[in-house]
Amino acid sequence: MKLLIVDSTTEAQAFCAKRIEAFNQSDMEMLDLKVKLVSERDFMDRVNEADVLVLGSGLGERGTALARQAMSTVPWLHIVMFVTDEAYGGGAFRAAHSAGVRKVFPDSASPLDFLQELVAIHAEFRREGRTREGRVVAITHAKGGVGATSIAAALTEVCSVYHRRTMLWDLDVETRDLSRSLTVNGVEAKVVSAWVNGSREISRESLKDALIPISSDVSVLMPPDRMAESMDLVCHTDGMTLVQRILELSRVLFDVIIVDTAGRMGPATGTILRSADVVLIVIDDTILGLTAVDLYLTFVKTLVGGTDRIVFLVNPYSGALLGVPQIAAELEPAHNLGELPWRLPPVPNDPKAALWPGSGRTLYSMGQKSTRVVLERIAREIGLIDTGTKAPQLPSNGAEGPSSGGWLGKLLGRSGPSRQELSGTRKDVTGGEGKS
Ligand SMILES: Nc1ncnc2c1ncn2[C@@H]1O[C@H](COP(=O)(O)OP(=O)(O)O)[C@@H](O)[C@H]1O
Ligand SMILES: [Mg+2]
């Protein structure tokens, strides 16, 4: 959010800006605050770039005239005005609000009141879709082995091909299937442990330190490197605040956030399912699979709090035992989800692509043409790539074997940014007196 602070003198501007310095770092990061100070003379040149205009008390009665002038040029601007404690009262309110100011504060107001107003403006921007915010897709399943991890990796590769900045979050703390399949590993996982045990704060900087870039657009966030922290993250209620912060920050840094929740239910996963834009439930077409989904849905529906964000993805076990309409017909009488959650096409069973783990590729680039087309359709349907964009040229299937690199190998080896480029040079990733 871009703030433009206007006041009569540089001292007065600095006084106004001091209130923002009083905010804590994480609040600033969450609002993505960028602050500019200008004089009355220059402000009309800058007002076009601003989301929020802050008028300082040094402007006195001229403040309302500036507000009026700004509103006539940028009608969607939000204006916050400070007045001296003496001036703070009904007269100032009437003048300010008739000029389009949304909030008047006295100079002695607590910075927290100002922060609250900025948070409210930011929340409105989010609702209106004005802030660019990453889309969170939580991938989950009722039982293991249905292909949830494979789908997470494949959709990430689709995003990469379409140059969407993507964070792939492996929350399978026990087996780390995703990280292992993509052969991703590193000291970065220690940062995640450090967040959990409290030896390091979560911030934009430390998130960058925790990320493992695997292509120019994709980074992986691994589970904590240690078991104790892993268990705390997914089983302890403290994990809820942490995952919430991770989501908020990653929404600022990425276009797409894909989380492999490994189906586990707990405080952290619950938080993710609740705040995700899409909850993608991967299911197979077996009887055991469907009865599991039946049970799973009874509590996931309550947890997610509605059905509009739930979508099913049928990944048939072998060939096609049951089609999507038949599966829907089995589950609908008990769950009444409507048609929308069933709108995705089933993923073809692709035996050749099943060998993706460890190959440096995924179901997407290893798959047949029909598999790729379906995965792209799914990515479009759940809003990961734009509907209008055309498919970029893909390496033709089988042209490059795993030995020649594939997606990961190619990008890690040659064109991808180095970890240092992405996260700056680090000597001790856990920071301070971080243990290892
Ligand atoms: N559409 C598919 N075609 C062929 N094999 C698949 C498909 N989807 C998944 N697989 C294979 O099934 C196995 C289990 O998948 P995985 O993604 O680990 O499941 P989950 O995360 O649900 O436990 C993997 O070996 C994977 O390669
Ligand atoms: Mg898995």
Side-chain angles (χ1 to χ4, degrees), residues 1 32 51 91 210 212 230 233 319 342 409:
M1 217 160 62
D32 203 12
D51 298 309
I212 305 183
S230 295
L233 175 61
W342 301 103

Side-chain angles (χ1 to χ4, degrees), residues 70-101:
M71 281 307 259
S72 66
T73 324
V74 190
W76 51 85
L77 196 66
H78 291 266
I79 306 178
V80 173
M81 180 186 244
F82 283 89
V83 297
T84 58
D85 289 4
E86 298 76 59
Y88 188 66
F93 304 159
R94 281 188 292 277
H97 289 289
S98 73
V101 171

Side-chain angles (χ1 to χ4, degrees), residues 8-120:
S8 48
T9 61
T10 42
E11 293 77 38
Q13 291 161 24
F15 175 72
C16 210
K18 269 243 157 16
R19 300 185 173 100
I20 293 163
E21 287 163 25
F23 299 170
N24 73 45
Q25 185 69 17
S26 73
D27 289 322
M28 301 222 2
E29 289 178 353
M30 225 94 76
L31 296 172
D32 203 12
L33 279 189
K34 309 240 162 46
V35 181
K36 274 216 174 88
L37 309 176
V38 286
S39 67
E40 281 169 80
R41 254 190 323 284
D42 301 330
F43 108 101
M44 279 312 283
D45 301 333
R46 298 294 190 140
V47 75
N48 265 310
E49 310 156 12
D51 298 309
V52 180
L53 175 65
V54 181
L55 300 167
S57 63
L59 297 168
E61 307 211 327
R62 297 190 304 282
T64 43
L66 293 190
R68 206 166 258 123
Q69 205 183 344
M71 281 307 259
S72 66
T73 324
V74 190
W76 51 85
L77 196 66
H78 291 266
I79 306 178
V80 173
M81 180 186 244
F82 283 89
V83 297
T84 58
D85 289 4
E86 298 76 59
Y88 188 66
F93 304 159
R94 281 188 292 277
H97 289 289
S98 73
V101 171
R102 67 174 277 158
K103 187 80 186 178
V104 182
F105 287 113
D107 269 338
S108 61
S110 153
L112 283 182
D113 292 331
F114 182 33
L115 174 64
Q116 183 172 175
E117 196 60 27
L118 295 178
V119 170

Side-chain angles (χ1 to χ4, degrees), residues 141 148-149 172 177 260 262:
H141 57 193
T149 298
D172 188 343
D177 276 354
D260 182 356

Side-chain angles (χ1 to χ4, degrees), residues 137 139 148-149 152 168-172 177-178 258-263:
V137 182
I139 300 189
T149 298
L168 181 57
W169 186 359
D170 183 0
L171 251 189
D172 188 343
D177 276 354
L178 192 54
I258 295 178
V259 194
D260 182 356
T261 67

